[in-house]
Amino acid sequence: MLFQRLFSAGWLIACLAFAAIAWGYHAPFSYEPVGPRAFPLLMLGLMAVALAWQLLRPVPLRQAADEPPLDRAALLKVAGCIGLLLVYAGLFEPLGFIASSWLLGAAMARLYGGRWRAALSCSALLSVGLYLLFDKALDVPLPLGILGFLEI
Amino acid sequence: MDTLGYLGQGFGVAMTPYNLITALVGTLIGTVVGLLPGLGPINGVALLIPVAFALGLPPESALILLAAVYLGCEYGGRISSILLNIPGEASTVMTTLDGYPMARQGLGGVALSLSAWSSFIGAFIATCGMVLFAPLLARWAIAFGPAEYFVLMVFAIVALGGMAGDRPLKTFIAALLGLFLSTLGIDANSGVYRFTFGSIHVADGIQFVVLVLGLFSVSEILLLLEKTHHGQAAVKATGRMLFNLREAAGVFTVNLRCGLLGFALGVLPGAGATLASAVAYMTEKKLAGAGGRFGQGDPRGLAAPETAIGASACGAMVPMLTLGVPGSGTTAVMIGALTLYNITPGPLLFQNQPEIVWGLIASLFIANLMLIVLNVPMIRLFTRILAVPNWLLVPLIAIITAIGVYAVHATTFDLFLMVGIGVFGYILRKLDFPLSPLLLGFILGGLMEQNLRRALSISNGELSILWSGPITLGTWALVALMLALPLVRIARRRAQGRRVPAEA
């Protein structure tokens, strides 16, 4: 409940900040009565009103029956997963698709409870297989990175 | 009788070997994607957009592929809800109520094929409805000006909130966020850069595939992390695979009723499959009275939601094709795909590119038929896919998602953006915000702003153009009705709460 209020408040502030930015948008030449700032301002305004309502009278969250409450361990795992995805995004081009996907696949498989051996071997298969499928068969270009010498 | 001629032409397009194979591949991929937990029709369709584009598929084949994937996903979701009692998405919750008990009684194969059959009838009814009504609606919609379009889109957004049930405010906020996000990037009319903070990567706005995959795939990956179960054992589908004539006859009237109902609800923006399946199940339960064994494996309880889902999935394509206004999250994604091909769905599509529209309608017939035929030999294979453990599945989803995002622009900025959007989407889901209104808002935002500005240019800034015609006035009345709907519901719930205070 507290988190929900904080989140709404933060969102509301972001909304107002964006509105302040949008206020400054002017078209240097204009042939139409409505400029570039009207629509975003309208949306931000409506959103701010709705968020303020949400902030003052938050609705209690429904807890799904099969969903365990978030504890510290789960939050740590989620944070770890987000970190992994960010690292993956950073390494995608320098290391190339195959190497970075292998690393991500193995680390993620560990995170979700796979064994080391299985995680490493399966994710190696996955990354090579997906590379062949997408880059070679489906014409989606993917970076090779450090494996660039394999390109013929 | 032009319509029949066009339909024949459409079958001509859909029956070419190339498009038949496309439809077959699409249904297969869709079924597998729908089976996997964490991937639904929205992700499935969004993932295939860059691929279809990279393959250089012609627009009608691409659309057929996406529609086939859509239907396949709906079918795949059914398998996991019947055999595992895990609904893949909100719309199949009703399917589990009677489908899982049937599977427990050893009728898993029958339940699956019966649900496929029901869905086929539903889709058949809806496609017939589409053939009848879509050209009429398109002809009528040509008279729409920018003001009418703007009001229509306001209605679509508000209808989402009105139909959403218990959290209209959150639905509304999510839709507004989507509308706002669509304004990022360069403004086409004046050349002003909006909210780009000097970054060239967002100069042409947030890429639609990035938004969809971030919101739906990445947040789902994070949600899967919390769930503890590792690949639940599925009920084996043994014995008879196909339903017999008596079972089909027993549910036939249910099929007809729910098909019509599903079509009507599917055409309405915002209602969609979830509402249609719930209403269909409740209605049939009431109609069956004491004679039904609803909840304990009554075939009628399985047929009702399935028919409605199949019908509403096709019904949702009516507003998409005729008006260019999507009725559901998945059709919103398909509109995004069409824009990539520079095709604007709307009334003119029926005149200018009939082969696309009618080819799509014909391939819906064909894809539905394929799903039934595929069900019988493939079901054992499909059930084996359900046994794939999460630790293998999640990296696969993550990597494929990254490929889909990277394929759009080939920049890693998009990957970072996807993770950011995914984390935000995860928080939103934890806080009970529905995500598909956000997506719908994002798709409609650009159109809505353009039409508003065009309308006001026509009237030279006079706001009264927005409510001066009979069509706009009528639509505003519907908007008011939709806004009042949740209030009425809350009031009724309060009144009920007062009557039985002990129950809370």
Side-chain angles (χ1 to χ4, degrees), chain B residues 186-397:
Chain B
I186 190 165
D187 170 34
N189 291 31
S190 62
V192 172
Y193 286 87
R194 292 189 289 194
F195 311 109
T196 58
F197 303 106
S199 161
I200 54 159
H201 295 294
V202 283
D204 58 350
I206 295 178
Q207 284 306 308
F208 149 82
V209 175
V210 179
L211 183 87
V212 177
L213 291 180
L215 271 186
F216 290 89
S217 288
V218 176
S219 71
E220 187 68 43
I221 289 173
L222 295 175
L223 276 184
L224 278 176
L225 196 54
E226 297 171 8
K227 303 219 171 104
T228 40
H229 65 80
H230 301 278
Q232 206 163 324
V235 178
K236 286 254 162 34
T238 47
R240 209 151 43 93
M241 279 295 149
L242 209 60
F243 53 88
N244 56 31
L245 212 58
R246 202 169 51 85
E247 281 157 340
V251 296
F252 191 66
T253 47
V254 176
N255 284 335
L256 287 185
R257 266 198 303 266
C258 295
L260 290 175
L261 180 89
F263 175 69
L265 285 176
V267 171
L268 282 180
T274 313
L275 188 73
S277 65
V279 173
Y281 187 84
M282 292 307 167
T283 316
E284 287 306 323
K285 194 174 176 180
K286 228 172 254 167
L287 280 178
R293 295 182 297 122
F294 277 66
Q296 297 151 23
D298 193 314
R300 281 173 292 177
L302 175 70
E306 281 304 327
T307 318
I309 292 172
S312 71
C314 292
M317 300 214 179
V318 172
M320 173 189 114
L321 287 174
T322 55
L323 303 173
V325 176
S328 65
T330 321
T331 45
V333 177
M334 288 172 92
I335 289 211
L338 284 176
T339 353
L340 274 183
Y341 279 96
N342 263 333
I343 300 170
T344 320
L348 289 177
L349 193 64
F350 274 78
Q351 290 185 345
N352 300 342
Q353 284 158 310
E355 75 278 3
I356 291 184
V357 178
W358 294 101
L360 174 70
I361 293 177
S363 63
L364 287 178
F365 273 113
I366 295 171
N368 266 310
L369 208 62
M370 278 178 180
L371 279 174
I372 289 203
V373 176
L374 279 179
N375 174 62
V376 181
M378 302 285 277
I379 193 66
R380 281 173 217 277
L381 186 70
F382 288 147
T383 48
R384 205 159 299 155
I385 294 176
L386 282 176
V388 174
N390 267 356
W391 64 263
L392 189 59
L393 192 69
V394 176
L396 180 72
I397 298 176

Side-chain angles (χ1 to χ4, degrees), chain A residues 4 7 18 25 32-34 36 43 47 53-54 61-62 67 77 86 89 92-93 109 112 126 140 143, chain B residues 166 169-170 176 179 187 189 193-195 221 225 391 394 396 406-407 412 416 430-432 453 456-457:
Chain A
Q4 196 181 1
F7 186 73
F18 273 118
Y25 290 142
E32 46 172 22
V34 186
M43 291 306 125
M47 195 152 58
W53 183 265
Q54 174 90 3
L61 296 178
R62 287 172 310 168
E67 211 175 296
K77 267 182 161 179
L86 286 175
F92 198 77
E93 269 177 350
Y112 285 79
L126 261 186
V140 176
Chain B
D166 51 349
L169 190 65
K170 283 180 172 168
L176 280 173
L179 287 170
D187 170 34
N189 291 31
Y193 286 87
R194 292 189 289 194
F195 311 109
I221 289 173
L225 196 54
W391 64 263
V394 176
L396 180 72
Y406 189 78
T412 41
F416 283 112
K430 285 304 269 183
L431 292 181
D432 249 356
R453 287 163 82 164
L456 291 178
S457 290

Side-chain angles (χ1 to χ4, degrees), chain A residues 88-99:
Chain A
Y88 181 55
L91 292 179
F92 198 77
E93 269 177 350
L95 279 190
F97 173 75
I98 297 181

